[in-house]
Structures are given as C-alpha cells and as structure tokens.
Amino acid sequence: MEKKKKHILEKTAELYLKYGIRSVTMEDVSREVGISKKTLYQYFKDKEDLVNQTIDNLIYQNHYEKAKKESDNAIDALLAMKNEIGRIMKQYNNNLEFELKKYYPKQYNKVCRHKHDDIFENTIANIKQGVSEGLYRKDVDAEFVAKLQVGRVLCTMNPDSGIFNENEIMSFKVFEKGIEYHLRAICTEKGLKYFHKQINKD
C-alpha cells in the first residue's frame, strides 16, 4: 500500500475509534493528516469509500501474528496480544460497531466474519504452539476450544447478548479475566507456573 495512503487510513482509524464514524467528517480527516480535502479525494472517492478502506485496513491487522513474532512462547504471545487489545480498547468508541451496523451493514458483516475467523484461527495456532512447548495440555481439542473462544468473545462482548452491561463490555478487566479463564483451562502445571510468574511481575 502506498505509504501516504496507509498513513491516512491509520489516522482515520484513530479518529473513528475515538469519536465514532458519523461525527468524523472528511474535513476532520484532512485536517488531522495535514492535507487538503482535494488531496484526500484523490485517494478516496467519498466518505463511504474511506470508511470501507479504513475498516478493512483495521480488521486485517493480525495482532496475534505480531505478538507471536515478539514473544518467546505461546503464553507470552497471548499476553502480548491481550495488552495490544487493551491499548485499542482505551481509545475505542463503543458506538463504532453500532454505527457500522446501522449505516454500513455490508462492512459490519465483514467485520463480524473476520472476528470469527481471526479468533478461531489464532486460537488454534496458539494452542498448537503451546502444546509443542509443553505449556498446554496434549489432550486439548484445539478446534473445540477455538469454537468456545469464538463464542465466548463474540457473545460476552456483544451488548445485545445481555450477559454483560455496556460498562463491563468496555472494561479491560473483563477481557483480561476471559484470557485468564482460557489459560487456566488449557495449561499444564508447567504452563500455569509460567503464567502465574508472568502476571505477578512487578
């Protein structure tokens, strides 16, 4: 992707995450990036095009792969991904998905499909790595656990499910407890000791 366009998409994503989609205008984006609206329209034909490309760029960032490359083992990778998601949640406007669902339904459905596939595939990859490292139990059914992960994350983090209220959904603590619950279910004794060591640092 052209460097300038990538920069525009990244800055636009920051604005959408912070303020929502509807309130951010093309003028806001051009001002944030430091270009004229005329220049912005050379990259995107209209706001819908900008929204679609921004969301595509955002959802296809594989946070787990990045965390895996920077980690020594499966548990560290999962904890690093947790921290990255936490960073995103701090700047996340909880109206974003509501606005996508209402005003950009095709893009919303794409986000939902990607979330499902991303969680499923990354969970399986993490479990296989952890088993090979002796941190996760050999008898773990990776596909079954991955399906549980998809259901747990997409259901508990969905305000329409009625499981958690809006404040709880946006709480990093709830997300963190979900990761801990997951690891306690699949870790070997060696894995649990390592996990406790990591979370008790500092």
Side-chain angles (χ1 to χ4, degrees):
M1 185 185 299
E2 186 182 339
K3 188 175 181 180
K4 185 64 177 180
K5 186 176 182 179
K6 188 174 189 298
H7 177 65
I8 295 171
L9 292 174
E10 289 172 350
K11 285 296 181 182
T12 303
E14 289 176 8
L15 290 173
Y16 287 169
L17 286 169
K18 189 173 183 180
Y19 300 111
I21 295 172
R22 293 281 287 178
S23 64
V24 176
T25 65
M26 297 295 273
E27 186 175 348
D28 292 329
V29 173
S30 61
R31 186 167 49 245
E32 179 71 17
V33 180
I35 59 175
S36 67
K37 280 208 311 183
K38 183 179 179 180
T39 301
L40 183 61
Y41 279 108
Q42 290 176 2
Y43 292 97
F44 310 97
K45 62 181 181 180
D46 52 29
K47 181 173 179 178
E48 184 172 358
D49 184 33
L50 176 60
V51 170
N52 289 338
Q53 292 197 48
T54 299
I55 298 302
D56 279 348
N57 188 56
L58 191 62
I59 67 174
Y60 289 117
Q61 295 177 18
N62 194 321
H63 298 294
Y64 178 71
E65 279 301 314
K66 179 183 176 184
K68 183 180 177 181
K69 289 176 182 176
E70 298 172 356
S71 304
D72 293 329
N73 58 51
I75 292 177
D76 282 345
L78 204 56
L79 296 178
M81 188 190 69
K82 177 200 72 174
N83 292 335
E84 175 64 11
I85 298 299
R87 182 189 67 78
I88 293 171
M89 288 177 71
K90 286 180 181 178
Q91 58 179 339
Y92 188 75
N93 183 301
N94 57 1
N95 288 326
L96 183 62
E97 288 197 25
F98 171 79
E99 291 180 344
L100 275 178
K101 186 176 182 179
K102 185 173 182 179
Y103 301 108
Y104 306 94
K106 288 183 179 178
Q107 196 64 30
Y108 174 76
N109 289 333
K110 185 187 288 187
V111 169
C112 291
R113 287 195 304 273
H114 179 73
K115 273 186 179 180
H116 178 287
D117 295 344
D118 199 46
I119 295 168
F120 183 79
E121 291 168 8
N122 288 339
T123 299
I124 286 183
N126 182 260
I127 289 175
K128 287 182 177 179
Q129 180 186 352
V131 169
S132 71
E133 295 166 342
L135 297 172
Y136 300 159
R137 302 191 335 259
K138 290 182 179 180
D139 62 345
V140 170
D141 184 331
E143 187 169 328
F144 176 73
V145 172
K147 288 178 180 178
L148 288 181
Q149 274 290 82
V150 171
R152 182 185 66 76
V153 174
L154 297 188
C155 187
T156 58
M157 295 305 182
N158 179 1
D160 294 332
S161 70
I163 296 176
F164 291 108
N165 62 41
E166 193 171 311
N167 289 333
E168 289 172 321
I169 287 171
M170 295 309 298
S171 167
F172 179 61
K173 203 69 182 174
V174 170
F175 180 75
E176 193 173 40
K177 285 181 178 179
I179 295 290
E180 181 175 347
Y181 176 84
H182 169 70
L183 282 171
R184 289 187 182 280
I186 64 174
C187 277
T188 59
E189 185 176 347
K190 173 185 174 182
L192 281 174
K193 286 180 179 178
Y194 184 81
F195 172 59
H196 288 152
K197 179 182 176 182
Q198 295 305 98
I199 62 174
N200 289 325
K201 279 184 176 180
D202 302 325

